[in-house]
Amino acid sequence: MKRYLETGNFAITQGAIIAGCRGFFGYPITPATEIAEAMSRLLPQVGGYYVQTEDETAAMHLAVGAALGGMKTMTATSGPGYILYADPYGWAIGCEIPLVVLNSQRVGPVSGITGAPGQGEFYLTRYPTQGGNFETIVLAPNSAQEAFFLTVEAFYLSERFRTPVTILADQLITDGWEDISIPETDEEKEAMGLRFAERKVHPGPEFYPPTDEIDLPPVVLGHNTGALCSDWTPTEEGYDIETVEAQHKHAYRLIYKIRNHMDLISRYETLFLDDDPEIIAVSFGTPSRVVKTAVKKAREKGVKVGMVRPITLWPFPDDLFNKKAIYLSVELNYDGQLVREVQRAAPCDSEVHFFGKCGELPTVAELHDLFDKLLKGEPLKRQGWETEAW
Amino acid sequence: MDYLAEKYLRPRKIPSTACSGCGLGVIQKALVKAIDELGYGVSDIIWGTSIGCAGRQTFATWKGDGFAGTHGRVYAIARGLRLAIPPEKKLVFTVGDGDAFGIGFNHLLHAARTNTQMTIAVCDNLGYQSTGGQFGWTTPSGVKTDSSPYGMFEPNWVRDDMDVLHILREAGATFLARHVSMDGPRLEATFKKALQNNGFSLVHVIYPCTTNFGNNALGTRRAVDIFRWIKERAAPLGEEREGVIWKTGIYYDASNSRPEFSELMREKVGEIHRRYQNEGAS
Ligand code: SF4
């Protein structure tokens, strides 16, 4: 095991290389630029390729193209670049091409504040492209160490599920300096729970069977398998077709290959859920670290509060919200995104509240004040506008 | 076409899905013939297509591996793909004028800059025909389409002083040519040269769209009329006459004069990789 005092960006590149990533395609953007820089230095050392492209649309298309040739690939960006991934993201979902995408969220909309953390792309990662009829896998780390772990995991899931996987980080995770342990031996990797899956090549001729099975190899070009892939609805062999029957089979596979294997995907952290929490604070990413401290400290004072931190954001872990409680979603946005899913998943007789900040983290004191108000049934007043609104 | 079709094309896609009288098949036939004459087999080539008539009608016609990319992005996809596939495989693309010179132009320029191996047949039906017939970036001046009802008055990119092939040459392309689909053996000969360039080759081929262009621009769907209309406006380079829009032939041939993108990448990465294997990580 090697220990470093390093950034989340560093941790992510280490995870990618350990997972077998040999192609990184990027376009400079704060706060993910350092991943591209590090990849440009590290990848050639292990025989891998770094290519800087003309824009993010190209970056992800190159990443998908190389993945379609059998390479494990990755690209990393922030919100303004992630939106330009929409086009190739859909193609990769539809053609079922494995690759890993990282989005380090900053403050939006558009370019917003470049050097501060935000969480405005919770829903965008669920619907990273147009058209619907698909399910996505999105993982959200809350530390550099976890970003390392989830990068390896993202490669693993992308291979088994034949789909792009997004790691949804934020500026503090990628830019922040932390103590990071990188395993070196196979034993250390195993002890850390890292999982690996190699790229396989689909032999054809039925590249798109109507099934929710996973572990089918993806389409790979260049192996003379007669491989076909396109942006149109495919027949089982990959020919383009315009019938609702074929489209139904295709959509069924894209949705249920993921939904029917949640046990392989779901990750979360909870606190005091079995200890009668009256309030359950919900958050992911960096703010969850403040929430965790606030919850623990409140418990020390006897406040009956618990915590849910989804690590797998999508598919959304509805099962984590089956307790009746007062839910408080703490997010780095002002419009309230995670809270909408919490309200949908929580029992109907639960109260669901929202506390949003953006560009800066909530404080423990602020959260304690909120817990207090919620228990007293007072409205959540805040500066700038009267009550919580989402 | 029987021999060529049997050897190189998928029976499921014969006959073609293009409208009857469409000139697209003639271009594809010339390209497949060139491939055959050079002795390439099905497994030597990965065939890429895109959106629009040129993409949709040629997708999955090639017996070997093939793909249809998102609109205008095959040139970007290709740069990634080339790094992962065996270096001896060739990429051959049939795309449309809107795809190459409109939505995909930025990626096309960067594919030219990097001299990435791809032989691109830009099958030009003079506008956006699969959407019913709107003007494009090569639609001749004055021509009426569904979106230029008063005649095409925007400048297009096929003019002596503003030619898309000149832009591509400046951008780094190593083989550039223009033809009309009626050029027959000359078109085949050009495709043969384009395929032998281990770099960025683009052959721009004007072809008659009988369904939409013919109807909108010329007021007829009669194939012979549209064929004649195009033919009258084309002449080999050096034999230009009054009223010629498309000068046909090879515009630029610097085949194999500079490193191909994936070859360069493999070489550089190979060097660095070996150095680090010998010395250990820095
Ligand atoms: S619309 Fe025109 S270009 Fe398209 S297939 Fe029909 S004839 Fe050919």
Side-chain angles (χ1 to χ4, degrees), chain B residues 38-266:
Chain B
L38 290 171
Y40 295 126
V42 164
S43 62
D44 294 325
I45 284 163
I46 297 173
W47 198 294
T49 73
S50 189
I51 308 294
C53 288
R56 185 80 190 247
Q57 320 307 348
T58 59
F59 170 64
T61 51
W62 183 249
K63 232 182 206 164
D65 294 359
F67 69 97
T70 40
H71 199 10
R73 319 295 179 202
V74 280
Y75 327 104
I77 292 165
R79 274 151 67 211
L81 183 59
R82 272 238 74 89
L83 294 174
I85 55 175
E88 66 280 5
K89 301 268 178 198
K90 284 202 165 277
L91 298 182
V92 172
F93 296 162
T94 36
V95 300
D97 44 306
D99 192 88
F101 303 150
I103 190 167
F105 197 57
N106 190 22
H107 308 305
L108 192 73
L109 290 176
H110 284 270
R113 174 181 65 81
T114 51
N115 195 34
T116 308
Q117 187 282 322
M118 56 187 91
T119 296
I120 307 168
V122 179
C123 307
D124 185 348
N125 51 14
L126 303 174
Y128 292 86
Q129 308 306 345
S130 71
T131 44
Q134 296 76 36
F135 74 85
W137 324 114
T138 60
T139 305
S141 189
V143 160
K144 282 188 184 166
T145 70
D146 280 356
S147 63
S148 57
Y150 306 107
M152 169 77 173
F153 53 75
E154 271 196 41
N156 70 33
W157 251 341
V158 188
R159 299 166 22 159
D160 285 345
D161 59 339
M162 229 166 67
D163 192 326
V164 69
L165 295 188
H166 297 163
I167 303 172
L168 287 164
R169 177 178 170 167
E170 292 295 320
T174 42
F175 185 92
L176 294 163
R178 174 169 292 136
H179 280 283
V180 292
S181 61
M182 308 83 191
D183 279 355
R186 287 181 62 231
L187 177 58
E188 280 159 41
T190 295
F191 275 139
K192 273 166 84 172
K193 286 211 164 114
L195 286 160
Q196 289 175 84
N197 174 28
N198 185 27
F200 181 96
S201 294
L202 183 141
V203 183
H204 179 203
V205 193
I206 299 10
Y207 75 94
C209 163
T210 43
T211 301
N212 290 324
F213 185 82
N215 192 42
N216 288 340
L218 312 178
T220 174
R221 287 197 162 124
R222 264 167 50 102
V224 287
D225 293 340
I226 305 156
F227 273 65
R228 191 180 311 119
W229 189 86
I230 290 179
K231 230 177 151 185
E232 279 167 7
R233 286 161 182 75
L237 279 162
E239 295 173 30
E240 297 89 348
R241 24 165 232 276
E242 186 75 17
V244 160
I245 303 174
W246 302 293
K247 296 171 196 167
T248 59
I250 294 168
Y251 278 56
Y252 184 60
D253 187 356
S255 290
N256 307 307
S257 62
R258 63 190 191 90
E260 191 276 329
F261 169 67
S262 62
E263 207 173 80
L264 179 72
M265 292 291 282
R266 282 189 171 94

Side-chain angles (χ1 to χ4, degrees), chain A residues 59-60 73 79 81 84 104 150 157 163 168 226 234-235 255 263 290 302 317 352 369:
Chain A
M60 185 147 173
T73 66
L84 294 179
S104 178
L150 291 181
L157 295 174
T163 195
L168 188 61
T235 66
I255 297 166
D263 51 325
V290 184
V352 180
D369 182 47

Side-chain angles (χ1 to χ4, degrees), chain A residues 97 120 234 342 367:
Chain A
I97 303 166
V342 175
L367 293 172

Side-chain angles (χ1 to χ4, degrees), chain A residues 49-348:
Chain A
Y49 300 97
Y50 166 81
V51 183
Q52 195 162 300
T53 56
E54 57 271 27
D55 57 27
E56 284 93 346
T57 302
M60 185 147 173
H61 273 104
L62 265 83
V64 179
L68 191 51
M71 193 184 277
K72 286 191 182 176
T73 66
M74 182 177 184
T75 179
T77 189
S78 187
Y82 194 79
I83 197 71
L84 294 179
Y85 286 177
D87 187 8
Y89 211 116
W91 197 58
I93 287 176
C95 296
E96 304 190 64
I97 303 166
L99 78 154
V100 172
V101 176
L102 183 129
N103 177 354
S104 178
Q105 296 168 103
R106 58 195 215 191
V107 177
V110 281
S111 295
I113 304 173
T114 58
Q119 290 184 324
E121 282 122 47
F122 172 75
Y123 276 116
L124 185 61
T125 58
R126 170 60 185 88
Y127 296 105
T129 190
Q130 97 294 357
N133 294 324
F134 57 83
E135 186 59 80
T136 43
I137 303 178
V138 179
L139 310 173
N142 79 347
S143 68
Q145 186 68 50
E146 196 172 56
F148 164 80
F149 176 85
L150 291 181
T151 303
V152 178
E153 181 74 2
F155 275 96
Y156 168 79
L157 295 174
S158 73
E159 293 297 334
R160 290 199 67 185
F161 287 88
R162 322 187 291 285
T163 195
V165 173
T166 286
I167 303 164
L168 188 61
D170 60 59
Q171 180 267 340
L172 283 172
I173 288 163
T174 51
D175 280 353
W177 291 71
E178 295 195 79
D179 183 2
I180 303 162
S181 299
I182 305 292
E184 293 180 297
T185 64
D186 287 348
E187 294 73 43
E188 287 169 349
K189 289 174 191 167
E190 209 186 313
M192 227 181 224
L194 300 183
R195 305 192 282 185
F196 301 94
E198 285 317 306
R199 173 64 50 87
K200 297 189 199 103
V201 176
H202 200 301
E206 271 131 32
F207 298 96
Y208 306 94
T211 170
D212 65 350
E213 264 178 70
I214 57 167
D215 292 329
L216 301 171
V219 170
V220 178
L221 298 179
H223 290 258
N224 309 325
T225 55
L228 287 177
C229 69
S230 80
D231 42 329
W232 296 293
T233 296
T235 66
E236 291 178 32
E237 298 92 353
Y239 291 98
D240 52 316
I241 188 167
E242 302 219 353
T243 68
V244 287
E245 291 79 10
Q247 168 57 23
H248 187 191
K249 286 182 191 169
H250 185 47
Y252 175 86
R253 191 179 56 259
L254 297 181
I255 297 166
Y256 290 99
K257 70 177 176 183
I258 294 174
R259 285 195 190 159
N260 288 355
H261 298 91
M262 289 286 283
D263 51 325
L264 264 173
I265 307 168
S266 273
R267 286 180 183 275
Y268 52 85
E269 182 187 2
T270 57
L271 267 184
F272 308 117
L273 281 198
D274 296 329
D275 200 359
D276 298 327
E278 286 179 66
I279 299 173
I280 297 175
V282 190
S283 65
F284 69 92
T286 305
S288 68
R289 292 167 69 158
V290 184
V291 169
K292 188 171 179 178
T293 306
V295 166
K296 278 184 171 171
K297 291 205 160 168
R299 271 278 168 178
E300 282 167 20
K301 290 192 248 164
V303 183
K304 292 214 152 216
V305 54
M307 183 192 89
V308 170
R309 172 170 79 97
I311 298 171
T312 304
L313 295 185
W314 302 107
F316 193 73
D318 286 20
D319 294 350
L320 291 176
F321 302 90
N322 53 18
K323 268 197 167 23
K324 184 190 165 184
I326 303 168
Y327 285 93
L328 174 66
S329 182
V330 181
E331 306 174 40
L332 294 184
N333 61 61
Y334 297 124
D335 53 310
Q337 299 195 9
L338 172 65
V339 64
R340 292 166 199 271
E341 289 305 300
V342 175
Q343 178 155 70
R344 186 185 54 74
C348 300

